[in-house]
Every structure is written in C-alpha cells, then in structure tokens.
Amino acid sequence: QVQLVESGGGLVQPGGSLRLSCAASGLAITSHFMNWHRQVPGKERELVAALSTAGGHTNYAESVKGRFTMSADRGENKVYLQMNGLKPEDTAVYYCHARGIYSDYWGQGTQVTVSS
C-alpha cells in the first residue's frame, strides 16, 4: 500500500522558517517525480516545487523562488521542503505528490499558517 505522510507544518511568524517532510512507503521516490503543492480554501491547488529525484533537477513556482528549497534523501525515501522567509500569503495546506508513468499519489496534507 502506497502512503505519503507529510509532517512539519505549524504556525510561524512572518519571516520565519519551517521544514516539511514527506515520508514515502510502498513506492520508491527515485522512480517518481516528487512535488509539493499547496492549496488555500476556495482556490485551485498550486504547484510549489518539483524534484526529479533521479536527476536531482528542481523547479519552483515564481512566488517561492529564492525562499523555498526542495530536497530528497534517497536512503530514507523522503523528500523535504525547506521554507525560509515565510510570508502570510504562504499560508495553505501543503501536499506531497508522487507522479510516476502510471501512478499518481497524494499525501493527506499539512497545514502551514504564517501569522503574527
């Protein structure tokens, strides 16, 4: 059974940092494109960061470039999203997503709230 379990969300003040983790089981992150998305109620889900774990190439949404960094630990079968310089507009539920040739999996999401 495939599971993606996110953790690390919470409440942080503007300018602060959080590190999200996504633990994958039942699949190998090296055979999937791993992504982080976020969603605010009433809005469409937004792709924040994408990582090709095989090649190590990353892409970021313009709104988070220079502030967020996505990485992977192949041995632990985990991906991370380091978020620095957080802004109130980063408040959302963040989802881990694994996309393979014939597969598509989502985590349950973790809430990130940026507020003073």
Side-chain angles (χ1 to χ4, degrees):
Q1 182 181 358
V2 174
Q3 277 193 311
L4 299 174
V5 180
E6 303 98 333
S7 60
L11 173 64
V12 64
Q13 291 187 342
S17 298
L18 283 174
R19 188 192 193 206
L20 304 184
S21 299
C22 172
S25 58
L27 64 81
I29 63 171
T30 51
S31 61
H32 290 73
F33 289 98
M34 301 299 299
N35 308 311
W36 285 98
H37 297 249
R38 67 186 181 187
Q39 189 168 25
V40 175
K43 293 189 176 181
E44 289 190 0
R45 196 167 290 189
E46 173 192 18
L47 177 63
V48 174
L51 171 64
S52 170
T53 51
H57 185 68
T58 54
N59 284 295
Y60 300 96
E62 285 296 323
S63 58
V64 307
K65 275 184 181 178
R67 300 188 297 122
F68 290 11
T69 303
M70 185 173 180
S71 61
D73 185 327
R74 294 171 180 78
E76 293 290 324
N77 212 34
K78 290 181 177 179
V79 295
Y80 303 95
L81 186 67
Q82 178 67 44
M83 306 186 294
N84 300 326
L86 283 161
K87 304 176 181 180
E89 52 263 41
D90 294 318
T91 296
V93 178
Y94 284 72
Y95 296 91
C96 181
H97 173 226
R99 181 172 61 86
I101 296 176
Y102 303 110
S103 58
D104 197 69
Y105 303 103
W106 293 89
Q108 83 288 350
T110 185
Q111 176 71 45
V112 171
T113 302
V114 185
S115 175
S116 55

